[in-house]
Amino acid sequence: MDVQIVEDVRFAQQGDCEAFIRLVSGIERSLYGVARSMLRRDEDCADAIQEAILKAFRAIHTLREPAYFRTWMFRIVINECRQIMSKQKRIVVMAELPTLSSPASDYENIEYLDLIAAIDRLEELHRIVITLHYFEDMAIKDIADLLDTTEGTVKSRLYRARAALGKYIDNPYERKNDYETC
């Protein structure tokens, strides 16, 4: 548990805007990663994150356990993403790939892009657990709490997601529909 986060949450709960800004700035990339695992367009991700930040700012006083600020924010972002998806009622076939943040060899870049493309082919629940577990280093228990499900369900989703990823990476030319049924 980060003492600074707990302290900043308490300050933010007392109306300190700078403390709230520090809190959000520290997890901004993670929020985007979660939103991106659900939404395809950067504009939609930005909208979801903006709404989530606004709602969190207005409701920070309701957060009972300051140490869970990050998880609380993830839950708000996930809910905002779901609202955007339900409003749009559309399927996006191909997502923009994120830019690489670190220099790597061409082979590593291709592998990374293949992995991102494979993850994008997974159904929503599988993308979320993969993103939270592998990219945000969240424990299975924390993911289960965040998604209001059991640890067994999270493990099952991770297993199915990894199986689908393995299939796709072994044969990247398979049809997308093969992975949406996992």
Side-chain angles (χ1 to χ4, degrees):
M1 171 173 53
D2 189 353
V3 176
Q4 184 63 45
I5 290 173
V6 171
E7 189 175 292
D8 280 343
V9 168
R10 291 207 172 107
F11 285 141
Q13 287 175 326
Q14 296 169 3
D16 185 342
C17 294
E18 293 299 319
F20 185 79
I21 291 169
R22 283 192 302 272
L23 287 166
V24 171
S25 296
I27 62 169
E28 202 168 20
R29 283 182 178 231
S30 296
L31 295 176
Y32 177 79
V34 170
R36 191 68 169 90
S37 73
M38 296 178 72
L39 303 170
R40 296 293 183 233
R41 295 179 9 169
D42 286 332
E43 298 83 10
D44 294 336
C45 293
D47 289 346
I49 292 168
Q50 255 184 327
E51 280 299 313
I53 290 170
L54 181 60
K55 286 182 178 181
F57 181 74
R58 289 179 177 158
I60 188 79
H61 65 278
T62 65
L63 180 61
R64 292 183 196 144
E65 187 56 51
Y68 292 116
F69 175 78
R70 186 171 185 245
T71 303
W72 182 66
M73 284 297 302
F74 283 153
R75 182 180 301 268
I76 296 170
V77 167
I78 288 170
N79 289 337
E80 287 303 313
C81 289
R82 286 183 176 152
Q83 283 186 358
I84 288 172
M85 290 166 47
S86 70
K87 286 179 186 175
Q88 292 174 342
K89 300 276 190 204
R90 62 181 167 87
I91 298 173
V92 177
V93 176
M94 188 59 152
E96 296 175 27
L97 295 174
T99 58
L100 297 172
S101 58
S102 62
S105 71
D106 287 343
Y107 182 73
E108 289 170 336
N109 288 348
I110 290 169
E111 284 183 340
Y112 177 79
L113 293 174
D114 285 346
L115 176 62
I116 297 301
I119 291 169
D120 279 346
R121 290 177 178 247
L122 297 173
E123 66 178 66
E124 176 189 336
L125 292 173
H126 295 145
R127 278 194 317 269
I128 291 170
V129 295
I130 288 287
T131 300
L132 293 173
H133 188 66
Y134 291 107
F135 294 101
E136 298 304 326
D137 290 328
M138 285 185 77
I140 289 173
K141 180 186 183 317
D142 295 335
I143 296 170
D145 291 343
L146 178 66
L147 299 177
D148 285 329
T149 191
T150 65
E151 289 181 43
T153 300
V154 172
K155 288 177 184 178
S156 174
R157 288 176 185 168
L158 280 170
Y159 175 82
R160 289 183 179 136
R162 286 189 298 254
L165 287 173
K167 274 185 183 178
Y168 176 70
I169 290 172
D170 285 345
N171 186 1
Y173 301 106
E174 275 189 42
R175 295 181 334 197
K176 180 180 178 185
N177 292 344
D178 294 342
Y179 303 100
E180 292 178 344
T181 60
C182 292

